[in-house]
Amino acid sequence: MVGSNPEVNHPVAASIMKNAIRRGTKLILIDPYEQPLARLATVHLQLRPGTDVQLLSAMTKLVIAEGLYDSKFVDDRLEGFDELVQRVEAYTPDVAARICGVSAEAIVEAARLFAKAPAAMCFWGMGASQHVHGADNIRATIAFALVCGQIGRSGTGLHPLRGQNNVQGSCDAGLLPHYFPGYRTLDDAVQRSLFETLWKTQIPIGSGLSVVEIMDAAKAGKMKGLYVVGGNPA
């Protein structure tokens, strides 16, 4: 669990998680915050804010160095593994410990626990993604799970916990600047024709504006109007 506080943001899911922990499931919690789930965590890596990439890089390096990664999964399914090995080379547990403010022993324990598990899954939240290095935080989390082969089987996988109610549903429905509903791309002529027929209107070519770009356009006087429902973009 990276940068998420489900007891506050996802209480129903948190109940399921706590019941699983009481049945013996192990929790690795990566979060600077002493949140309620910390008391149930097998390992709580209470890192300095902003050092997620270094921590996860050290965990990735360790499982590769100790041969705990899923070599068959890597060979069959992944691209760029050699480049990843080079990128994490400098991040030993000791180096990460100095940067992140957690013990090298805890980093090693967490990495081995995840890699050796018969099935393990990754959750992350907006504490990791809504950050100046948010994309890198998530890429590092995904890379770690992939090299361990913890995806594509029952009880494994990558699970972003969305920040507000129905963020996932609104994305699925096409409320993104570069997708039609169902994540069909705007530059696909077949999809454009389909939706123009369905919606009985001509669809402008090119992507729309992101939330940040909308704010910039409003400030520049280029935005005619903004319809906000159940949210606060500010």
Side-chain angles (χ1 to χ4, degrees):
M1 176 91 63
V2 184
S4 182
N5 186 352
E7 279 215 352
V8 173
N9 295 315
H10 306 277
V12 176
S15 296
I16 297 170
M17 293 173 185
K18 286 186 285 187
N19 287 337
I21 293 168
R22 293 184 182 109
R23 291 193 301 268
T25 296
K26 304 290 193 298
L27 171 64
I28 300 166
L29 182 64
I30 300 177
D31 194 341
Y33 178 55
E34 185 76 28
Q35 60 161 285
L37 276 184
R39 67 183 184 273
L40 300 177
T42 304
V43 183
H44 179 199
L45 298 170
Q46 197 170 4
L47 74 172
R48 293 190 181 103
T51 62
D52 306 65
V53 172
Q54 290 87 348
L55 177 68
L56 289 157
S57 295
M59 294 169 68
T60 303
K61 174 181 170 57
L62 182 93
V63 299
I64 294 172
E66 294 190 350
L68 300 176
Y69 71 101
D70 189 330
S71 57
K72 186 177 188 308
F73 185 86
V74 168
D75 292 341
D76 293 348
R77 302 290 182 127
L78 300 189
E79 298 175 359
F81 179 71
D82 292 338
E83 182 183 356
L84 176 66
V85 171
Q86 293 175 1
R87 283 181 177 269
V88 301
E89 178 60 30
Y91 294 104
T92 64
D94 288 335
V95 169
R98 290 196 298 273
I99 296 171
C100 303
V102 298
S103 72
E105 291 77 15
I107 295 172
V108 171
E109 180 185 1
R112 289 173 177 167
L113 185 63
F114 188 90
K116 292 180 178 180
M121 59 181 70
C122 281
F123 296 93
W124 66 83
M126 294 179 74
S129 61
Q130 300 298 314
H131 188 276
V132 66
H133 301 299
D136 292 329
N137 292 345
I138 307 313
R139 289 190 189 103
T141 304
I142 293 170
F144 176 61
L146 286 175
V147 299
C148 294
Q150 298 288 14
I151 189 168
R153 295 177 285 107
S154 179
T156 68
L158 305 164
H159 305 277
L161 296 170
R162 308 311 293 261
Q164 284 86 35
N165 59 324
N166 213 27
V167 171
Q168 186 64 54
S170 61
C171 293
D172 295 344
L175 299 182
L176 289 167
H178 47 287
Y179 286 115
F180 290 118
Y183 304 97
R184 298 179 232 187
T185 56
L186 294 173
D187 56 4
D188 186 319
V190 174
Q191 299 300 332
R192 290 179 60 81
S193 176
L194 186 155
F195 281 100
E196 286 182 339
T197 301
L198 182 66
W199 292 340
K200 297 182 175 61
T201 188
Q202 185 176 1
I203 298 170
I205 296 174
S207 296
L209 302 179
S210 69
V211 173
V212 174
E213 291 167 338
I214 286 171
M215 295 298 136
D216 291 340
K219 185 176 180 180
K222 298 177 181 178
M223 183 67 58
K224 294 181 179 180
L226 185 61
Y227 187 45
V228 180
V229 182
N232 180 7

